[in-house]
Amino acid sequence: MWNRRLESLDRESIKKIQLERLKLTVRRLYENVPFYRSAFKSRGVSPDDIRSLDDLKRLPMVSKHDLRENYPFGLLAVPREECVRVHASSGTTGKPTLVLYTREDLQNWTEIMCRCLYMSGLRRGDVFQVTPGYGLFTGGLGFHYGGEAIGATVVPTGTGNTERQINLMRDLGTTMIAGIASYALHIAEVASEMGVDVKKDLQVRKGIFGAEAWSDSMMKKISDVWDMDCHDIYGMSEMYGPGVGCNCSHGEGLHIWEDHFIVEIIDPSTGEPLGPEEEGEVVLTSLTKTAMPMLRFRTRDMSKLLDTNGCECGRTHQRIARIKGRCDDAFSINGVKVFPGQVEYVLMKYPEVGMNYQLVVEKAGALDQLTVLVEANCKSPQDDSAKSLEKVLFRDLRTILGFQPRVRVLPPMSIERRDGKARRVLDLRMK
Ligand code: DLL
């Protein structure tokens, strides 16, 4: 284990730490963040009311919507000057959701990343290639600092340029990669086109993947194609980034670092907490974040608390099932989250756009591809006006999504309706 003492705490000690840290977080939010103060007041709770972990139920929940409403600095619990880093993820509409970090936050994030990476086999001496994006996305830098802290040789390639990734893997003798699961399969495909056999010609035998739901069968496929020990890492920008939890090599599911987070599962329609083995929405409370602590953040991810006592690996932290999917209409394109509202926000700026649009998600080889179908608002859009609308929409969508979608402008009424209603998202990947 990376941190044997903290990863194998007994239940009583975990609960004690959680309660202490929860009290501190609640007080900090009450005193420094007007949004939380008024949410507490409207529920009739004050920091003094938090006496046991059961009192968590009395606290308000927050969602991405609240982050957007308080964009950019409204949820800060420290002066902006104390923040040393900003990341952002897709918002539910046009605005990104922003997260800020103090130096202490970055240290805590690195600690949980180290636990996950160590659990997944990373050691000093490894050559660790980090393929998620560097920048506002938390993936690249999250893996990067964890890898360096463990003492591995980190290769910060970031996304894209797959041929170069493969050449580097071969030349540097990369032993472990981090990435988005589907990208691991894409690399293997490109490698075989280049005449590189990933099993024979490369030394990559360990992988850690996350940022989107991937099935057990996908995990098996990646393990087989690469002859690799695969691990699943979970996280989100609002809770530092990757590193909230990870699967060990023994038990099922993901260990969630309970000295940094409280995990609840709720019924997404009623908000009521659910018991072990009952499937629902993951709700997370941060316990160590200082710049932007999050109380009962509704992740929209579906999972369940596993009914287990401890784990063969010796870690005592609660396990949840691997994430099954989401309970809202967001979807992921190669790890980048897309909310239909973001796309709609762009489309609605243009009067030439008609009544209906549809987001078609498909596989292009191992990678995901998004096509935005848009109906024009006139009967027969001139070819050149359709083309120029496609161009501007492409430009705006690329800016807001952070990747290149395909855009097709079509005549009115050409997108299929069901009971008169358009289907906003047509996900053909599972077919
Ligand atoms: O995706 C952080 C991350 C980067 C995690 C790299 C793991 C690896 P966001 O862009 O804020 O942050 O998206 C967070 O991604 O609520 C889930 O819906 C999804 N997600 C993240 N990890 C997993 C996973 C990063 N292991 C959202 N399995 C989350 C399933 C995941 N879904």
Side-chain angles (χ1 to χ4, degrees):
M1 288 181 218
W2 173 253
N3 190 334
R4 183 167 294 279
R5 185 178 67 82
L6 291 176
E7 291 178 52
S8 58
L9 286 171
D10 60 67
R11 204 74 333 249
E12 277 316 301
S13 309
I14 291 181
K15 284 191 169 161
K16 190 161 166 269
I17 292 177
Q18 285 189 325
L19 182 59
E20 269 166 24
R21 292 182 174 175
L22 178 66
K23 283 181 176 173
L24 208 71
T25 300
V26 166
R27 188 162 300 280
R28 187 179 274 147
L29 289 172
Y30 189 85
E31 285 169 2
N32 299 302
V33 188
F35 165 83
Y36 279 103
R37 189 160 49 244
S38 66
F40 288 157
K41 283 191 173 153
S42 65
R43 296 190 131 226
V45 267
S46 80
D48 293 331
D49 296 326
I50 307 304
R51 294 194 197 93
S52 76
L53 287 175
D54 251 9
D55 294 323
L56 184 67
K57 289 204 279 292
R58 304 176 61 185
L59 297 172
M61 296 193 197
V62 296
S63 66
K64 250 189 196 295
H65 172 80
D66 300 312
L67 273 100
R68 179 165 64 91
E69 292 293 299
N70 290 284
Y71 178 88
F73 300 133
L75 293 182
L76 269 188
V78 298
R80 205 270 309 139
E81 291 73 10
E82 284 184 31
C83 299
V84 296
R85 174 98 65 87
V86 176
H87 281 288
S89 71
S90 322
T92 44
T93 63
K95 277 185 200 153
T97 53
L98 211 65
V99 281
L100 288 105
Y101 305 72
T102 60
R103 206 171 289 286
E104 188 182 332
D105 291 336
L106 293 180
Q107 281 161 359
N108 279 317
W109 185 14
T110 299
E111 158 73 19
I112 56 175
M113 277 309 294
C114 285
R115 293 185 197 175
C116 295
L117 288 168
Y118 197 91
M119 191 192 259
S120 306
L122 188 70
R123 298 290 183 272
R124 187 185 150 80
D126 271 310
V127 178
F128 179 44
Q129 197 156 323
V130 178
T131 74
Y134 279 68
L136 288 175
F137 182 52
T138 53
L141 288 171
F143 285 112
H144 186 100
Y145 284 107
E148 281 190 358
I150 283 188
T153 306
V154 178
V155 188
T157 47
T159 45
N161 205 337
T162 306
E163 289 192 13
R164 192 182 60 178
Q165 303 262 17
I166 295 162
N167 288 333
L168 280 168
M169 282 177 198
R170 189 185 44 208
D171 299 347
L172 305 182
T174 299
T175 50
M176 177 158 172
I177 56 174
I180 317 296
S182 46
Y183 191 56
L185 289 177
H186 179 67
I187 300 177
E189 277 175 10
V190 175
S192 101
E193 282 160 23
M194 289 164 67
V196 174
D197 181 332
V198 293
K199 284 188 183 164
K200 284 207 200 108
D201 304 330
L202 302 181
Q203 297 169 48
V204 184
R205 292 295 163 268
K206 296 177 274 197
I208 182 165
F209 306 104
E212 64 184 19
W214 53 304
S215 59
D216 290 340
S217 49
M218 175 106 160
M219 194 184 251
K220 179 158 186 335
K221 187 164 177 190
I222 297 172
S223 304
D224 290 348
V225 167
W226 282 85
D227 185 15
M228 172 193 275
D229 180 28
C230 273
H231 286 257
D232 182 9
I233 181 166
Y234 176 53
M236 69 241 24
S237 326
E238 292 81 359
M239 298 290 152
Y240 296 124
V244 169
C246 190
N247 73 305
C248 65
S249 302
H250 297 267
E252 178 202 344
L254 312 166
H255 284 281
I256 303 292
W257 302 119
E258 288 186 284
D259 49 340
H260 291 269
F261 309 99
I262 298 179
V263 55
E264 297 173 88
I265 301 287
I266 62 161
D267 177 331
S269 48
T270 64
E272 282 307 307
L274 297 174
E277 302 297 336
E278 290 182 318
E279 191 168 286
E281 180 183 344
V282 179
V283 170
L284 291 167
T285 295
S286 73
L287 296 172
T288 49
K289 280 177 58 143
T290 56
M292 226 186 209
M294 287 278 143
L295 266 196
R296 306 190 80 198
F297 176 69
R298 292 193 62 163
T299 63
R300 314 308 277 166
D301 294 323
M302 297 298 285
S303 177
K304 59 184 181 182
L305 298 169
L306 297 180
D307 193 6
T308 50
N309 263 332
C311 182
E312 266 179 60
C313 73
R315 294 176 183 88
T316 47
H317 294 241
Q318 174 72 50
R319 278 183 280 151
I320 65 170
R322 295 183 63 215
I323 307 299
K324 239 187 144 175
R326 293 186 56 97
C327 56
D328 60 7
D329 53 6
F331 56 91
S332 159
I333 296 287
N334 304 313
V336 180
K337 317 306 171 306
V338 178
F339 292 87
Q342 286 176 289
V343 175
E344 189 167 306
Y345 167 84
V346 168
L347 301 183
M348 292 308 125
K349 288 200 294 193
Y350 293 93
E352 304 91 313
V353 169
M355 302 280 289
N356 206 353
Y357 69 90
Q358 188 172 59
L359 311 183
V360 183
V361 188
E362 294 161 289
K363 280 276 177 211
L367 295 182
D368 303 323
Q369 180 173 281
L370 172 67
T371 307
V372 181
L373 302 177
V374 181
E375 288 182 1
N377 72 355
C378 60
K379 282 244 148 23
S380 50
Q382 300 291 315
D383 255 9
D384 40 346
S385 70
K387 283 276 163 287
S388 61
L389 183 57
E390 277 174 5
K391 252 194 205 147
V392 286
L393 291 177
F394 170 76
R395 193 196 56 207
D396 276 16
L397 287 169
R398 183 183 55 186
T399 306
I400 209 159
L401 296 172
F403 63 88
Q404 307 199 356
R406 296 200 306 184
V407 181
R408 296 282 170 271
V409 172
L410 307 168
M413 299 305 290
S414 43
I415 297 174
E416 192 200 341
R417 272 114 170 123
R418 251 195 212 166
D419 304 323
K421 275 200 264 176
R423 281 167 75 191
R424 288 284 175 244
V425 182
L426 196 60
D427 195 335
L428 305 172
R429 286 176 294 192
M430 301 305 160
K431 304 232 161 100

